[in-house]
Amino acid sequence: MTDKNKITIFGLGHIGLPTASLFADKGFNVKGIARDDEKLRLISKGISPIDEPGLSELVKITVENGHFTVSYDEVEAVSSSNIMIIIVPTPMDEQNRADLTAVKEASKTISQGLKKGDLVVVESTVPQGTCDNIVIPILEESGLKAGEDFSVAYTPERAIPNNTIYEMTHNARVIGGYDERSADRASELYKHITVGDVIKVKNLITAETVKLIENTYRDANIALSNEIAMICEELGVDAIEAIKVANYHPRVNLHIPGPGVGGHCLAIDPYFIVETAKGKGMQAPLISTARIINEGMPQHVIKLISDTLAEVGQEIKGSTIGLLGVAYKGNVADARETPAKDLINILKEKGAHVYATDPYTPKEGIRALGAEPVDMGQVLNCDCVVLVTDHDEYRDIKPEMVKSPIFICTRPILNPEDFEKSGIIFRGIGR
Ligand code: SAJ
């Protein structure tokens, strides 16, 4: 490792922080930039503000050995580095379009300290064409020319929350470069932190497309599964059994139906393809419909709740509803874009008293979603229990623990018959 290998990373979130500490752990001198002073303060003390297996140790070691520092002077950090990596958030705006403000700001800062020979890598998820049409023109405001004076590559982050470090160091890396040299330089760089294959694709836009395809495939697959599940409910067919058995076919891999698709990736990235398609005068109807189906799932759960309450002569108004889990998926604390949010809002609009528990999401997080945080015993005592998140802890729930007459299970992690035998009205998505 030469002294030339100094990296500045823009964004110290769920992907930026592990990336920064992995490079630092391999001996690179890494400077981290974030727009959150509290986060910078914690990291500078060697404390990870993000809960992710293995991350706390990595941050502690690399901060203590001096390879990972945080920087408050962004242009200085760029001027004293030769590799810049952009891993900032790209949220969605009100019109379902990518908000590229943070990517543009990072690019602008880099342009102010960019030097000949530097490598700029983008990892943030972006609509197709963003590197070519937005990032590079901003970088070239430096007076330097991409390809001639500096290199640009796009390599999407693809690690799954709760297994980020493992996946970052083992998954295949997809790399697209502005030119051959850019792709080669980025490939060499990422080989330091992954034992997985490093796959070079034709160009920047191909790599951007690969990322969007992956999450869009998963979203559309889940939408298909959700649609089949809702049809099966009407037919009295156990969709979970049917899907499981269909998946024995060697060319079928249907995902699991659920209360909706949350998180910061699947619920957003398909819109980036739709946005690009619209720019070309196309509609992308399949991708858009998948989003409509998945976004409609909380409403379907509400229907299950209201139909089941009606069976015991109750209605949502005035009932106590207890949610098991608010996180967007099992075994994580993250509640971004969680289907629990829509569920809570609709239930409250309809006049229910909504309580929730979650072994991972803190009480403030539950409160921020609009539900009253309580313990699991209290949730299981409500007029209606709704299992929203497939946390492992909930797989052990036994009928005798449930004091409520109704159990709505939106994830197929419990056996309906066990509950029905105990006289509990058990309904699930697709069953
Ligand atoms: N879900 C279902 N049914 C399933 C699988 C998931 O309803 O069969 C739901 C989950 O409950 C959750 C949502 O979908 O609400 C998304 O969960 P996820 O586990 O599919 O994915 P994420 O959002 O945690 O991470 C995804 C991953 N992408 C793919 O697997 C293609 C990850 O590898 C990416 O790095 C990440 O998006 C990202 O950052 O883009």
Side-chain angles (χ1 to χ4, degrees):
M1 188 93 24
T2 70
D3 196 35
K4 274 192 80 184
N5 289 310
K6 290 184 175 163
I7 305 180
T8 290
I9 297 196
F10 286 77
L12 296 173
H14 289 80
I15 301 295
L17 185 60
T19 307
S21 45
L22 282 173
F23 277 118
D25 195 45
K26 293 293 173 194
F28 288 84
N29 288 316
V30 180
K31 287 187 181 179
I33 287 172
R35 293 276 164 90
D36 177 340
D37 284 349
E38 176 59 9
K39 183 184 271 185
L40 291 177
R41 193 185 65 78
L42 285 173
I43 297 171
S44 66
K45 290 184 166 180
I47 301 166
S48 168
I50 290 164
D51 191 19
E52 184 62 45
L55 184 58
S56 296
E57 296 81 344
L58 263 181
V59 171
K60 187 170 186 301
I61 292 167
T62 53
V63 169
E64 278 177 3
N65 70 20
H67 280 288
F68 180 19
T69 53
V70 299
S71 175
Y72 294 86
D73 187 342
E74 303 186 3
V75 178
E76 187 285 324
V78 174
S79 305
S80 61
S81 300
N82 64 313
I83 298 167
M84 271 64 71
I85 304 180
I86 300 177
I87 321 184
V88 293
T90 47
M92 207 168 58
D93 68 16
E94 300 279 299
Q95 281 79 44
N96 293 344
R97 288 179 318 212
D99 176 353
L100 296 174
T101 309
V103 170
K104 289 179 189 168
E105 283 178 5
S107 306
K108 183 91 193 155
T109 307
I110 294 172
S111 78
Q112 289 161 10
L114 196 66
K115 305 163 301 303
K116 279 196 173 189
D118 284 353
L119 165 67
V120 180
V121 181
V122 181
E123 281 205 36
S124 303
T125 304
V126 291
Q128 294 134 290
T130 300
C131 286
D132 284 316
N133 303 326
I134 295 175
V135 174
I136 291 178
I138 297 176
L139 294 176
E140 288 186 336
E141 287 171 12
S142 61
L144 300 175
K145 216 67 212 84
E148 282 171 29
D149 300 315
F150 64 94
S151 302
V152 182
Y154 181 78
T155 177
E157 61 83 5
R158 300 155 89 213
I160 197 117
N162 212 30
N163 201 22
T164 298
I165 302 282
Y166 179 84
E167 290 210 352
M168 261 187 193
T169 51
H170 290 80
N171 284 2
R173 256 294 153 178
V174 176
I175 299 206
Y178 175 79
D179 54 9
E180 194 68 32
R181 181 167 148 72
S182 297
D184 287 344
R185 289 183 70 187
S187 301
E188 287 313 309
L189 176 66
Y190 280 87
K191 278 182 192 161
H192 286 280
I193 60 165
T194 182
V195 294
D197 293 337
V198 175
I199 305 164
K200 282 187 275 181
V201 293
K202 278 197 185 71
N203 47 28
L204 294 163
I205 194 170
T206 306
E208 291 168 342
T209 304
V210 169
K211 167 69 191 185
L212 296 178
I213 289 175
E214 292 166 354
N215 283 350
T216 303
Y217 156 77
R218 203 158 160 79
D219 190 53
N221 189 322
I222 297 166
L224 176 60
S225 193
N226 281 335
E227 187 167 280
I228 287 171
M230 290 186 284
I231 295 168
C232 283
E233 280 169 29
E234 291 299 318
L235 296 173
V237 172
D238 184 339
I240 304 304
E241 182 188 18
I243 288 170
K244 193 171 154 198
V245 177
N247 282 347
Y248 276 102
H249 187 289
R251 285 174 294 282
V252 176
N253 176 24
L254 206 52
H255 294 353
I256 303 165
V261 168
H264 212 54
C265 312
L266 269 62
I268 292 176
D269 299 356
Y271 283 117
F272 291 5
I273 299 195
V274 173
E275 178 183 344
T276 317
K278 282 190 177 157
K280 293 284 172 198
M282 297 170 73
Q283 290 304 320
L286 177 64
I287 300 171
S288 304
T289 304
R291 281 280 76 233
I292 290 169
I293 293 170
N294 289 339
E295 284 174 0
M297 289 312 288
Q299 274 293 3
H300 180 67
V301 177
I302 297 289
K303 183 175 178 304
L304 285 178
I305 297 170
S306 120
D307 288 355
T308 319
L309 278 170
E311 287 178 33
V312 295
Q314 268 182 272
E315 54 178 357
I316 290 179
K317 190 168 189 277
S319 293
T320 55
I321 314 280
L323 306 186
L324 290 170
V326 297
Y328 82 94
K329 69 172 189 176
N331 308 328
V332 301
D334 198 339
R336 288 178 299 174
E337 316 294 328
T338 174
K341 188 170 185 205
D342 279 351
L343 274 176
I344 294 167
N345 283 342
I346 303 169
L347 285 169
K348 284 174 68 179
E349 267 167 29
K350 289 185 181 289
H353 306 284
V354 187
Y355 302 90
T357 184
D358 193 298
Y360 300 87
T361 310
K363 286 198 170 76
E364 315 86 73
I366 295 177
R367 241 179 245 114
L369 291 168
E372 188 175 326
V374 291
D375 62 32
M376 190 160 104
Q378 286 167 279
V379 162
L380 295 176
N381 212 2
C382 286
D383 294 328
C384 172
V385 177
V386 185
L387 185 146
V388 180
T389 312
D390 44 353
H391 292 310
D392 283 345
E393 285 79 352
Y394 299 153
R395 291 174 194 270
D396 297 327
I397 291 178
K398 302 277 178 280
E400 47 276 19
M401 295 160 67
V402 182
K403 306 288 172 254
S404 165
I406 297 172
F407 197 112
I408 309 284
C409 196
T410 71
R411 312 273 188 172
I413 60 169
L414 294 170
N415 183 6
E417 283 161 20
D418 294 345
F419 289 78
E420 281 156 3
K421 266 189 233 151
S422 302
I424 295 166
I425 305 177
F426 190 96
R427 296 278 183 280
I429 289 185
R431 25 184 41 156

